[in-house]
Amino acid sequence: MVARSKFGAAGAKEEREGVRTLRIRIKDKHVKYLSELAREVNLVWNYVNELSFKVFQRERRFMSGYDLQKYTNGASKEGLRLHSQTVQGIASEYAARRKQFKKAKLAWRKSGGARRSLGWIPFKASGIAYANGQIKYGKIWLSLWDSYNLKHYDLGPGSISEDARGRWYINICATFKQKSMQQMALFNESVGIDLGLKDFAATSDGARIESRTFYRVLESKLAIAQRANKKTSVKAIHAKIANRRKDFHHKLSTKLVDSYGAIFVGNVNAAALAKTNQAKSVLDAGWSAFRTMLQYKCDCALRREVAYME
């Protein structure tokens, strides 16, 4: 097999600066305020959606994000509590998604009913501030479960989003401000990893990590809740499955990055295997998510890198 590193020689330094996308839970006391902001986001989205469609009907041209921003300038001064850059971000996102899906008009964002759109509030780096475990958006300080200790990061753009259970998270691009001497410790030992279904991973030095059947363990409870049409229970079970899988991936990837200087991972085609009769097991293993975690943790560890074997 041939090892293929993600990094080129020239780009290695930049790739290892430690840029990550962090997802942090916002405390539930802000749910009402964030839900109101999300309705205002839907209002702006639906406005640019209708405006863009009417211009297309009349002039047979599509408006860019820059064009749409001209019609939303000043919205924050006319009663909306959204940051002006959020309004600009909605227009830019709409134009990008319309172009991606090649449609003259996209679906409306709904603020109520059975098909209500989950809350989404984009922002730019200059639209927020951080202090003492809180993020300031607009005039309000949002309290976080700050497990990452954001004071050690330079914060970039991102979004505030709602999950299916009505919980709110901030998703933000962040860069390490400092690198500790411990992070720069030299590890000369390398390891090869084969991903599988019977064993989640087998390493070149003989270790085997047993597969965890997160979905199958709760599959029967999930089926009972679905047949009883208990939507809240269904969402809770799905969240429990995802959280257990993510916890397993985090612990294993952290242990590997802390132990080896170079990591070589078998390039398994998860997308192709997910179309076979092994689809449930493949999706339950979550190989792609694990490799993503392994990659960004290696990026943050300075000289350590991950490569894929073909």
Side-chain angles (χ1 to χ4, degrees):
M1 291 186 288
V2 178
R4 174 173 54 83
S5 175
K6 176 185 174 181
F7 309 122
K13 182 177 180 181
E14 289 77 11
E15 290 285 354
R16 298 182 187 182
E17 285 300 315
V19 179
R20 301 173 62 181
T21 300
L22 307 180
R23 180 175 170 87
I24 304 170
R25 174 89 178 271
I26 299 174
K27 294 188 177 180
D28 290 339
K29 64 182 180 180
H30 301 296
V31 166
K32 182 179 178 181
Y33 172 71
L34 292 173
S35 297
E36 291 171 354
L37 290 185
R39 284 192 286 272
E40 294 183 2
V41 169
N42 295 347
L43 176 66
V44 176
W45 176 277
N46 295 337
Y47 169 73
V48 298
N49 192 16
E50 185 66 21
L51 174 63
S52 177
F53 184 61
K54 285 183 176 179
V55 170
F56 175 75
Q57 286 181 313
R58 186 173 60 246
E59 303 177 17
R60 310 310 292 178
R61 70 178 180 90
F62 290 115
M63 300 181 73
S64 66
Y66 179 76
D67 294 332
L68 292 170
Q69 288 172 23
K70 295 178 182 178
Y71 290 87
T72 57
N73 286 341
S76 297
K77 298 179 181 179
E78 297 298 327
L80 290 184
R81 288 169 292 178
L82 299 174
H83 194 282
S84 59
Q85 292 184 351
T86 292
V87 178
Q88 294 174 6
I90 296 168
S92 298
E93 182 70 13
Y94 172 81
R97 297 288 79 78
R98 186 208 53 74
K99 184 177 181 180
Q100 175 187 358
F101 295 112
K102 299 178 181 179
K103 292 185 177 180
K105 189 176 184 180
L106 298 182
W108 287 66
R109 289 189 62 85
K110 302 171 183 65
S111 298
R115 300 182 66 84
R116 180 180 70 87
S117 303
L118 295 180
W120 166 70
I121 307 164
F123 58 80
K124 296 183 180 179
S126 57
I128 60 168
Y130 172 81
N132 303 319
Q134 294 180 309
I135 288 284
K136 185 179 183 182
Y137 175 86
K139 298 181 180 179
I140 302 296
W141 286 93
L142 303 172
S143 300
L144 310 174
W145 299 101
D146 188 14
S147 56
Y148 290 99
N149 201 354
L150 290 180
K151 69 180 180 181
H152 296 306
Y153 293 83
D154 287 321
L155 303 182
S159 67
I160 300 170
S161 62
E162 180 188 14
D163 69 6
R165 302 173 73 189
R167 298 176 177 182
W168 287 83
Y169 296 83
I170 185 167
N171 313 288
I172 189 166
C173 293
T175 308
F176 281 113
K177 288 182 179 179
Q178 300 172 343
K179 307 293 194 303
S180 68
M181 293 304 294
Q182 183 178 4
Q183 285 178 306
M184 298 179 67
L186 300 180
F187 289 83
N188 296 319
E189 190 174 353
S190 62
V191 68
I193 301 174
D194 279 329
L195 300 177
L197 294 177
K198 184 177 181 181
D199 293 314
F200 178 79
T203 66
S204 57
D205 51 11
R208 293 185 177 274
I209 295 91
E210 184 181 357
S211 289
R212 312 292 176 87
T213 53
F214 306 101
Y215 176 79
R216 293 186 183 278
V217 166
L218 293 174
E219 187 175 13
S220 58
K221 287 186 178 180
L222 180 61
I224 291 170
Q226 288 173 330
R227 286 195 295 270
N229 199 28
K230 296 181 178 179
K231 295 182 179 180
T232 301
S233 297
V234 170
K235 291 176 183 178
I237 293 170
H238 275 302
K240 183 178 290 187
I241 293 168
N243 289 338
R244 287 179 177 179
R245 184 184 298 115
K246 187 182 295 184
D247 179 68
F248 170 67
H249 288 165
H250 270 302
K251 289 178 178 177
L252 178 57
S253 57
T254 297
K255 185 175 181 179
L256 290 169
V257 172
D258 286 346
S259 302
Y260 299 100
I263 302 172
F264 300 89
V265 184
N267 197 8
V268 182
N269 191 343
L273 288 172
K275 298 177 182 178
T276 68
N277 58 3
Q278 296 179 312
K280 277 189 180 181
S281 298
V282 171
L283 295 174
D284 201 14
W287 293 327
S288 297
F290 172 72
R291 290 189 297 191
T292 299
M293 287 183 187
L294 198 60
Q295 184 67 71
Y296 78 67
K297 290 180 182 182
C298 285
D299 293 348
C300 295
L302 295 181
R303 70 178 293 275
R304 289 167 243 175
E305 67 179 62
V306 62
Y308 299 109
M309 298 182 293
E310 297 179 341

